[in-house]
Amino acid sequence: MVTRKLLRSTFDAGAEYETYVQTGNPGQIDAWRSVEAQIALTDAQRSLIEGFVREVNVVVSSGTWCGDCAQQGPVLAAIAAANPGKVRIRFVDRDEHSDLSERVKISEGLRVPTAIFLNEDFDFIDLIGDGTLSRYRAKAARALGAACPLPGAPIDADELASTTQDWVDIFERVHLLNRLSPKLRQRHGD
């Protein structure tokens, strides 16, 4: 079981996106930057995220060495950048924070990236591990290739756009869970 105390302490120990990416070696940093350069939220996606009124905190268990992380971490950062007052993301190295990663195994595996969504009180809301539906569809289409792309591997523009939309949808769902929370509605008078 993951406790609020562990989630909060891991979030506090985590790094903001830029700081986290800089922990990688030059090749890893280049891989993350390459994906960053390809990401552009649509006006509708940006408007949706900018409209969030509840705080969404996210702990991302990751690895700068991980191709899936390099292809999805920049998407998460772009979403957070659309509303930095309400969307806060911290990245932690999966292996350095095994106290968390061991508790959020998926199919008994230490999957990365794993995004753990929390409300303003650091109550657990949701967990998405290893990728979104679009990401898994693309992996399935490449099933005869490597299971995990190497950092810097090319990413199809349509796949990136679909994966970005998946992540925006996940953030919207989490925000709506926060908006409809009886505890938070009472606290905020809405």
Side-chain angles (χ1 to χ4, degrees):
M1 170 141 199
V2 182
T3 64
R4 181 188 311 160
K5 181 179 177 183
L6 175 60
L7 294 168
R8 176 64 194 247
S9 66
T10 305
F11 182 90
D12 290 343
E16 291 186 5
Y17 177 78
E18 282 300 321
T19 302
Y20 178 75
V21 171
Q22 290 302 314
T23 66
N25 67 39
Q28 293 164 345
I29 294 169
D30 288 346
W32 287 67
R33 299 289 186 228
S34 172
V35 175
E36 274 176 42
Q38 299 175 60
I39 296 170
L41 296 180
T42 66
D43 290 342
Q45 291 168 334
R46 183 171 301 289
S47 179
L48 175 74
I49 302 298
E50 287 172 349
F52 285 9
V53 297
R54 290 284 192 272
E55 192 172 293
V56 175
N57 294 302
V58 185
V59 174
V60 181
S61 178
S62 180
T64 55
W65 44 264
C66 166
D68 281 334
C69 300
Q71 292 184 352
Q72 295 179 83
V75 174
L76 299 174
I79 292 169
N83 190 342
K86 295 297 179 184
V87 179
R88 300 182 324 142
I89 297 179
R90 298 297 181 272
F91 289 81
V92 297
D93 182 89
R94 178 197 71 187
D95 300 329
E96 291 176 16
H97 290 271
S98 61
D99 52 337
L100 176 68
S101 59
E102 287 290 334
R103 289 185 171 99
V104 294
K105 285 182 177 179
I106 298 171
S107 248
E108 289 302 308
L110 297 173
R111 309 289 183 192
V112 286
T114 297
I116 305 162
F117 292 85
L118 314 165
N119 69 13
E120 64 195 54
D121 295 331
F122 292 86
D123 295 324
F124 174 85
I125 298 174
D126 205 354
L127 177 141
I128 301 295
D130 210 30
T132 66
L133 180 57
S134 292
R135 190 84 177 124
Y136 270 100
R137 284 178 178 152
K139 281 181 163 184
R142 295 186 297 266
L144 297 176
C148 180
L150 298 174
I155 183 169
D156 178 78
D158 290 339
E159 178 186 342
L160 184 58
S162 295
T163 300
T164 299
Q165 184 60 54
D166 285 348
W167 279 114
V168 168
D169 291 344
I170 291 164
F171 274 84
E172 179 184 16
R173 179 180 177 277
V174 167
H175 182 255
L176 290 172
L177 281 164
N178 276 341
R179 285 286 287 141
L180 295 170
S181 161
K183 173 179 92 169
L184 297 178
R185 290 191 76 193
Q186 182 177 12
R187 178 182 301 161
H188 294 286
D190 61 5

